[in-house]
């Protein structure tokens, strides 16, 4: 696990311990200044529990998460886009 993915997990635990649940956790993470503004493909894969190949395939197919291309070899994922994507993957439990 990358250092950034570890930090993301720690901040997620922080917001959960503060009483936030569901989408509210990811909304807080999207605004969390202790996290980097942009994540690498390796970071996103580690955070989401996917392979870097899966992240690349999602990008090629035009699927979330949104990304920024700074050069032909430099692709980064904005913190807000990652958090929105993760929040969108949440499924509500039936009561």
């Amino acid at each position: 696990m990358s250092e950034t993915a570890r930090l993301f997990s720690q901040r997620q635990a922080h917001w959960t311990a503060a009483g936030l649940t569901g989408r509210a956790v990811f909304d807080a993470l999207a605004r969390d200044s202790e996290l980097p503004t942009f994540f690498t493909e390796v970071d996103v894969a580690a955070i989401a529990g996917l392979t870097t190949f899966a992240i690349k395939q999602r990008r090629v197919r035009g699927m979330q998460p949104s990304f920024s291309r700074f050069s032909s070899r430099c692709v980064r994922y904005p913190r807000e886009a990652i958090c929105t994507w993760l929040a969108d993957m949440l499924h509500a439990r039936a009561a």
Side-chain angles (χ1 to χ4, degrees), residues 62-77:
M63 300 168 71
Q64 286 187 329
S66 300
F67 64 94
S68 295
R69 186 179 299 277
F70 295 102
S71 71
S72 63
R73 292 186 176 195
C74 183
V75 173
R76 296 291 183 261
Y77 296 85

Side-chain angles (χ1 to χ4, degrees), residues 44 48 50 54-55 58-59 62-68 75-78 80-86:
V44 174
L50 300 171
I55 297 299
R58 294 184 66 81
R59 185 174 68 238
M63 300 168 71
Q64 286 187 329
S66 300
F67 64 94
S68 295
V75 173
R76 296 291 183 261
Y77 296 85
E80 187 173 333
I82 298 303
C83 293
T84 299
W85 173 54
L86 293 171

